[in-house]
Amino acid sequence: MPDLLLDVQGLETQFKTPDGVVYAVNGVSFGLNEGETLGIVGESGCGKTVTMLSVLRLIPSPPGKITAGKAFFFGQDLLQMSNEEIRHVRGAQISMVFQDPMTSLNPVLTIGLQLTESLILHLGMDKKQALVRAAELLETVGIPKAKDRLSDYPHQFSGGMRQRVMIAMALSCSPQILIADEPTTALDVTIQAQIIELVKRLRDELGMAIIWITHDLGVVAGLAQRVIVMYGGYIIEEAPVNELYSNLQHPYTIGLMGSLPRLDEEGHHRLISIDGQPPVLYEKPNQCPFVPRCKYAIERCWKENPALEMVGQNHRAACWVDTKTGSAR
């Protein structure tokens, strides 16, 4: 296997709250290859965003704290870097597009000023060079009359155009990794499709690796090469995208797929809902975190939290039960 571009090992992140410590991310390990698109899937609160914010050291402290783990990027552990060192990685080598374009841009600064900041800071451009490059970036992401729009403010852009600006900002320093945190959630369906096509085109042109965080398995199917499914702060299934969709192994992933409307099947099919509520992890579970909601559960599930084990070619799942047969593994 070639060297990983990003290698995260045993990441753990906790938050102190008035009600106790929340164990938000619990021993998460994964890798990212050069040029690969990795999808991270799960419902709200499962630890997707906190995992990536931890890798970039963007967790607010207090109340958050990274308590264990390593995150190697070009042989250096991001979690051990000084604040000055990690500042030169964020934005320049690893960029992040946040979930809500309405609140990600500063409303009192022009688009041009916000776009040129990273170009001046990371690439050493002067103001004139940065403005020329900023206009090129806006054209790249499909904003017409880009040069004229640099003096506009965020409120003069639609939601879809603001998200394009955020993508342009993330790409400004040609990063090796682009992290997209549900970048289409706040947008209507037509604009969602445009943004996804834009990211795919830019990925192919620039050759960068992408981590796409979402709760929508439908989006991941057409974008990612490999998928990680998270639940309760743990990775509970990981596989290449075609293998995952054709050979679902974890009960939670089966539930997620069952909740998606299908266009490739004849007749009417009732969508499946997953009963119960996501866990609030005030203590690390001694059992499978999904067991209270699982229809496949056996006695061992209530007593022991399963580790990720190989269940197929490059396919790992954390489950004591073979969901195909209903018997214990």
Side-chain angles (χ1 to χ4, degrees):
M1 179 183 284
D3 290 339
L4 294 169
L5 181 61
L6 178 67
D7 184 10
V8 178
Q9 302 174 3
L11 181 66
E12 297 188 9
T13 302
Q14 302 171 6
F15 291 88
K16 286 187 178 179
T17 73
D19 296 320
V21 175
V22 175
Y23 294 85
V25 176
N26 302 299
V28 165
S29 300
F30 66 92
L32 179 71
N33 296 306
E34 289 191 32
E36 180 183 31
T37 302
L38 174 67
I40 302 182
V41 180
E43 62 196 60
S44 297
C46 71
K48 310 183 299 293
T49 298
V50 173
T51 294
M52 299 320 305
L53 290 177
S54 299
V55 168
L56 286 177
R57 302 255 301 279
L58 290 172
I59 294 292
S61 178
K65 185 179 181 182
I66 301 167
T67 57
K70 301 178 186 298
F72 291 106
F73 177 66
F74 284 118
Q76 290 185 293
D77 186 357
L78 299 172
L79 305 185
Q80 296 300 321
M81 285 183 175
S82 67
N83 289 335
E84 183 67 21
E85 288 171 330
I86 193 70
R87 197 163 65 91
H88 288 289
V89 172
R90 290 194 297 248
Q93 296 168 284
I94 305 176
S95 286
M96 190 162 183
V97 179
F98 294 95
Q99 183 169 352
D100 188 358
M102 307 302 177
T103 58
S104 297
L105 292 165
N106 190 322
V108 300
L109 300 179
T110 65
I111 294 298
L113 187 61
Q114 296 184 64
L115 265 172
T116 55
E117 182 180 17
S118 61
L119 296 168
I120 293 168
L121 175 67
H122 293 301
L123 301 184
M125 292 184 178
D126 60 34
K127 188 175 180 180
K128 186 176 180 181
Q129 291 171 324
L131 284 169
V132 171
R133 175 61 178 151
E136 291 173 355
L137 286 164
L138 290 184
E139 288 176 1
T140 300
V141 298
I143 292 181
K145 299 181 180 178
K147 191 174 180 180
D148 297 333
R149 302 305 306 265
L150 290 175
S151 57
D152 288 347
Y153 289 85
H155 73 270
Q156 295 173 273
F157 289 73
S158 68
M161 290 178 76
R162 282 187 230 184
Q163 196 60 287
R164 289 172 185 265
V165 171
M166 290 302 301
I167 292 170
M169 198 177 295
L171 298 177
S172 59
C173 297
S174 302
Q176 283 88 356
I177 301 174
L178 174 68
I179 300 169
D181 183 10
E182 303 203 41
T184 60
T185 297
L187 308 175
D188 65 58
V189 175
T190 306
I191 305 301
Q192 282 185 26
Q194 292 176 6
I195 295 295
I196 291 167
E197 285 304 313
L198 169 65
V199 170
K200 288 166 73 172
R201 175 173 65 81
L202 294 173
R203 174 194 65 189
D204 296 339
E205 288 176 3
L206 304 175
M208 62 186 172
I210 295 175
I211 298 174
W212 189 280
I213 302 170
T214 184
H215 59 266
D216 190 344
L217 276 165
V219 169
V220 167
L223 185 68
Q225 285 127 10
R226 190 160 52 91
V227 185
I228 286 172
V229 183
M230 290 189 68
Y231 185 82
Y234 294 88
I235 293 176
I236 51 93
E237 190 160 5
E238 178 185 1
V241 65
N242 291 334
E243 164 68 13
L244 184 85
Y245 283 74
S246 63
N247 187 23
L248 302 170
Q249 290 288 333
H250 196 282
Y252 177 62
T253 315
I254 293 170
L256 282 181
M257 282 296 292
S259 67
L260 280 178
R262 301 291 294 266
L263 299 177
D264 57 347
E265 294 180 359
E266 294 183 4
H268 298 285
H269 297 273
R270 191 175 185 86
L271 298 181
I272 298 169
S273 62
I274 303 174
D275 295 335
Q277 297 292 325
V280 179
L281 298 175
Y282 287 121
E283 56 184 50
K284 282 189 182 179
N286 296 319
Q287 60 194 29
C288 172
F290 188 63
V291 67
R293 308 172 72 184
C294 183
K295 64 181 181 180
Y296 295 90
I298 59 175
E299 186 177 353
R300 189 178 186 185
C301 303
W302 293 94
K303 296 179 178 179
E304 196 176 348
N305 193 356
L308 273 176
E309 301 287 352
M310 296 299 295
V311 294
Q313 187 173 7
N314 299 319
H315 191 161
R316 299 190 299 165
C319 187
W320 296 124
V321 180
D322 183 339
T323 52
K324 303 294 184 188
T325 64
S327 59
R329 292 192 190 278

